[in-house]
């Protein structure tokens, strides 16, 4: 099923009306204006050359600040023990989660692209190798941080439960990068599955049913990575397909149908994990509870944007409006990744609930 990036030649167009007859001419301010990329008709949008990089830099800065300051802010006034280096750990875990999403998204999205009839010959560049190497570096950074906090040598740190699992994660991501650089990039599925399993075990050291919690995390992390990484790959593809609105609309529709099932998996496993791990009496008085509320709020907004994008896609032949909503959804999903990283860093809230 997963066989890497789509082949360069476009699939032969199917029967039916040609693109020009099927879709009304897009307006000049649409990202799907007629013509190949870089040769759209009409006036170039003013400020387009610097607005996007500026917005990306602003979003990256915001994500970094949330990762560095978030653990301390949500724990303020809770009486919970301070986690040494929580901000740096959150940044490293954010990079790790983003690496998983990017690589899994590049394995999933091409399967949605191949059946699209009349698709352009162009394909986006792969980020899988660099993403997995960045994730491996983030896992190695967590090992170094763990050694410093525990006052252990690197070799001794490997012998701890968390250190051993982080080493497994780092090696798995390096192996995934090697697979991505090979002629058989789909082989990366095996080491990525190993990474997800190791991360699920690392995130659940608690004494109460850790196996059940790890199983929920495997499903949740896989679905979240496929949703976030798959959407990013689709959006990158839509940008270089902006001269082919029919193919772009078909691709967005295929992704939207898959995203429904990913959302169901996320909602079910997320609800089960929250009910299992968070006592109701400390929802507002624990760092975990406060962070979870922020995540739920962001996911509610993401859900609204996803539903709105699907409705616009079904109603309008021009995919520009749905594409804009999907881009906003992607930005918020990036913040969800950061908040999810904070959830893995803050203390287990059960000890607060059991206090006299």
């Amino acid at each position: 099923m997963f066989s890497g990036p789509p082949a360069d030649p476009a699939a032969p167009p199917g029967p039916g009306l040609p693109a020009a007859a099927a879709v009304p001419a897009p307006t000049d301010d649409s990202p799907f204006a007629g013509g190949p990329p870089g040769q759209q008709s009409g006036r170039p949008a003013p400020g387009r050359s610097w607005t996007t990089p500026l917005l990306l830099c602003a979003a990256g800065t915001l994500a970094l600040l949330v990762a560095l300051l978030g653990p301390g802010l949500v724990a303020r006034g809770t009486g919970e023990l301070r986690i040494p280096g929580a901000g740096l750990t959150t940044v490293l875990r954010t990079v790790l989660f983003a690496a998983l999403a990017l690589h899994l998204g590049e394995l999933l999205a091409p399967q949605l692209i191949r059946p699209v009839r009349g698709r352009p010959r162009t394909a986006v560049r792969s980020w899988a190798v660099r993403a997995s190497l960045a994730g491996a570096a983030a896992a190695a950074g967590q090992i170094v941080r763990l050694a410093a906090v525990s006052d252990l040598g690197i070799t001794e740190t490997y012998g701890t439960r968390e250190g051993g699992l982080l080493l497994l994660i780092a090696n798995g991501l390096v192996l995934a990068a090697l697979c991505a650089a090979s002629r058989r990039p789909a082989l990366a599925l095996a080491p990525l599955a190993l990474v997800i399993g190791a991360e699920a075990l690392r995130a659940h050291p608690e004494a109460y049913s850790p196996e059940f919690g790890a199983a929920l995390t495997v499903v949740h992390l896989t679905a979240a990575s496929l949703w976030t990484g798959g959407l990013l790959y689709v959006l990158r593809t839509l940008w270089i397909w902006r001269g082919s609105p029919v193919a772009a609309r078909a691709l967005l529709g295929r992704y939207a149908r898959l995203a429904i099932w990913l959302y169901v998996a996320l909602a079910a496993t997320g609800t089960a994990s929250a009910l299992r791990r968070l006592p109701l009496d400390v929802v507002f008085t624990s760092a975990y509870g406060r962070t979870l509320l922020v995540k739920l709020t962001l996911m509610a907004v993401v859900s609204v944007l996803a539903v709105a994008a699907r409705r616009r896609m079904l109603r309008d032949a021009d995919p520009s409006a749905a594409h804009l909503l999907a881009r906003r959804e992607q930005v918020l999903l990036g913040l969800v990744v950061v908040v999810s990283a904070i959830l893995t860093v803050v203390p287990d809230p059960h000890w607060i609930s059991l206090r006299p």
Side-chain angles (χ1 to χ4, degrees):
M1 176 180 177
F2 297 102
S3 54
D8 191 48
L17 294 175
V23 180
T27 59
D28 288 345
D29 59 352
S30 164
F32 295 91
Q39 299 180 9
Q40 288 78 19
S41 60
R43 301 183 307 273
R48 177 175 295 179
S49 59
W50 58 267
T51 301
T52 298
L54 183 61
L55 290 176
L56 289 176
C57 289
T61 302
L62 176 61
L64 181 61
L65 290 175
V66 171
L68 289 174
L69 304 179
L73 291 176
V74 295
R76 182 170 297 176
T78 63
E80 294 172 297
L81 295 176
R82 177 181 174 273
I83 304 297
L88 175 59
T89 303
T90 302
V91 172
L92 294 173
R93 301 201 60 71
T94 299
V95 174
L96 175 60
F97 291 158
L100 276 174
L102 285 170
H103 203 148
L104 284 174
E106 288 201 12
L107 291 173
L108 169 70
Q111 316 312 314
L112 304 176
I113 293 173
R114 283 193 179 87
V116 175
R117 295 180 178 273
R119 58 183 174 86
R121 296 176 180 272
T122 51
V124 298
R125 290 184 177 182
S126 174
W127 291 351
V129 174
R130 284 173 288 181
S132 287
L133 291 178
Q142 291 178 73
I143 295 174
V144 174
R145 188 208 64 84
L146 179 62
V149 170
S150 305
D151 197 21
L152 296 173
I154 295 296
T155 304
E156 294 172 305
T157 304
Y158 293 156
T160 65
R161 180 182 185 275
E162 182 172 2
L165 289 172
L166 285 171
L167 179 62
L168 187 61
I169 291 171
N171 290 334
L173 286 169
V174 170
L175 184 56
L178 294 175
C179 292
S182 71
R183 295 179 180 270
R184 299 290 299 275
L187 293 176
L189 277 175
L192 289 176
L194 181 66
V195 168
I196 291 175
E199 168 57 27
L201 291 174
R202 190 215 61 81
H204 291 278
E206 66 273 359
Y208 51 95
S209 60
E211 299 83 4
F212 182 61
L216 289 174
T217 299
V218 166
V219 178
H220 192 82
L221 184 55
T222 301
S225 298
L226 290 174
W227 185 5
T228 306
L231 179 58
L232 178 59
Y233 195 98
V234 166
L235 289 176
R236 293 175 62 206
T237 301
L238 292 180
W239 177 249
I240 65 173
W241 285 11
R242 57 192 183 276
S244 304
V246 174
R249 186 173 183 270
L251 174 58
L252 197 57
R254 290 179 62 83
Y255 171 79
R257 287 188 290 272
L258 174 65
I260 293 174
W261 296 106
L262 296 176
Y263 182 85
V264 170
L266 279 171
T269 54
T271 301
S273 295
L275 292 175
R276 170 186 171 274
R277 195 162 193 179
L278 180 63
L280 295 180
D281 59 327
V282 294
V283 171
F284 298 100
T285 58
S286 66
Y288 190 94
R290 294 173 179 178
T291 306
L292 184 60
L293 290 176
V294 173
K295 181 178 179 179
L296 291 176
T297 302
L298 289 174
M299 286 301 300
V301 179
V302 168
S303 302
V304 171
L305 290 174
V307 171
R310 180 171 176 80
R311 288 181 176 176
R312 292 300 295 266
M313 179 191 63
L314 294 175
R315 187 178 64 189
D316 301 338
D318 184 359
S320 299
H323 182 255
L324 177 61
L325 291 170
R327 292 205 306 268
R328 293 172 179 172
E329 176 187 344
Q330 180 71 69
V331 171
L332 287 180
L333 282 175
L335 287 177
V336 170
V337 170
V338 179
V339 174
S340 299
I342 296 176
L343 273 178
T344 67
V345 174
V346 295
D348 188 319
H350 273 79
W351 78 274
I352 299 181
S353 179
L354 298 176
R355 285 189 307 186

